[in-house]
Amino acid sequence: LRMNATFPYILPAVTLPSNPEIEVMDAGIRDNFGKETTYEFLSSTKNWINKNINKIVVIQIRYRDRLAETEAIDQSILSRLSTPVGVIYDNFENVQEYGMDDLLNELEANLKADVEWVNFELNSREDEPISLNFHLSGLEKKFILSALDRGDNKISFKRLEALFAKNK
């Protein structure tokens, strides 16, 4: 868990005791939403799933909307010089999403089981960000709890309830 929480400038990198030593970076650099782990698990158990499972329910808890829109580009000279780096940084998670969606769609086509995705979102606000540390303030805890009352999350709870009610 600690190795997956190596945020640059906040926590020091973890070094594995190997020869040569290997420095580990935050897992979010590859997969910030757990889709790659889901893909690897479903892919490695595909044969068993095809023989034994009719439906798979994947619950995804996200801190922001799926494929969030990026901000408009500032056309100043300074921003034009930094735009290539900024575009990569701003779209990094979207690029991850598109790539993993392609792999998961291909995998789902090869599974006999139906795959249902149920998303819950925090939808953190830029004007009130949740801190990047191991202790949440009282206000941050209230913000997280209030996300349970969001309309889209209520719909996700009802959808989840219906999916499990069908299997009783």
Side-chain angles (χ1 to χ4, degrees):
L1 181 62
R2 167 59 184 92
M3 289 192 319
N4 278 328
T6 304
F7 304 109
Y9 307 111
I10 295 172
L11 293 172
V14 173
T15 304
L16 296 178
S18 57
N19 189 7
E21 289 183 343
I22 299 171
E23 214 172 78
V24 180
M25 68 175 100
D26 178 47
I29 197 76
R30 270 188 71 121
D31 179 20
N32 222 22
F33 299 107
K35 286 184 170 184
E36 184 173 356
T37 305
T38 302
Y39 169 81
E40 292 296 336
F41 175 77
L42 293 176
S43 181
S44 68
T45 58
K46 181 177 73 172
N47 292 336
W48 184 87
I49 288 171
N50 284 338
K51 290 178 189 171
N52 299 292
I53 302 293
N54 294 325
K55 182 169 291 214
I56 298 165
V57 177
V58 180
I59 299 171
Q60 188 176 45
I61 301 171
R62 306 170 60 91
Y63 69 91
R64 70 169 177 93
D65 293 335
R66 179 177 154 66
L67 301 174
E69 293 182 26
T70 57
E71 295 178 16
I73 297 173
D74 179 8
Q75 294 298 318
S76 69
I77 294 173
L78 184 59
S79 71
R80 286 183 185 186
L81 291 173
S82 65
T83 294
V85 174
V87 168
I88 291 169
Y89 179 77
D90 289 344
N91 286 304
F92 191 73
E93 289 175 349
N94 290 347
V95 170
Q96 284 181 348
E97 292 247 34
Y98 287 129
M100 285 314 303
D101 283 351
D102 285 346
L103 284 174
L104 286 164
N105 287 336
E106 184 180 320
L107 176 65
E108 287 178 34
N110 292 311
L111 290 174
K112 293 178 183 173
D114 291 328
V115 180
E116 297 281 344
W117 288 80
V118 181
N119 293 319
F120 293 92
E121 295 175 357
L122 176 60
N123 198 19
S124 58
R125 298 173 15 199
E126 292 206 17
D127 61 330
E128 290 183 27
I130 293 178
S131 59
L132 198 58
N133 64 40
F134 295 110
H135 176 75
L136 297 173
S137 70
L139 182 62
E140 291 167 334
K141 289 176 186 177
K142 284 180 185 176
F143 182 67
I144 292 169
L145 287 173
S146 73
L148 298 175
D149 288 329
R150 283 179 34 153
D152 55 345
N153 287 335
K154 285 183 177 182
I155 291 168
S156 291
F157 276 119
K158 286 183 184 195
R159 184 165 170 241
L160 196 58
E161 187 176 53
L163 285 169
F164 282 100
K166 289 180 186 177
N167 293 323
K168 286 186 177 182

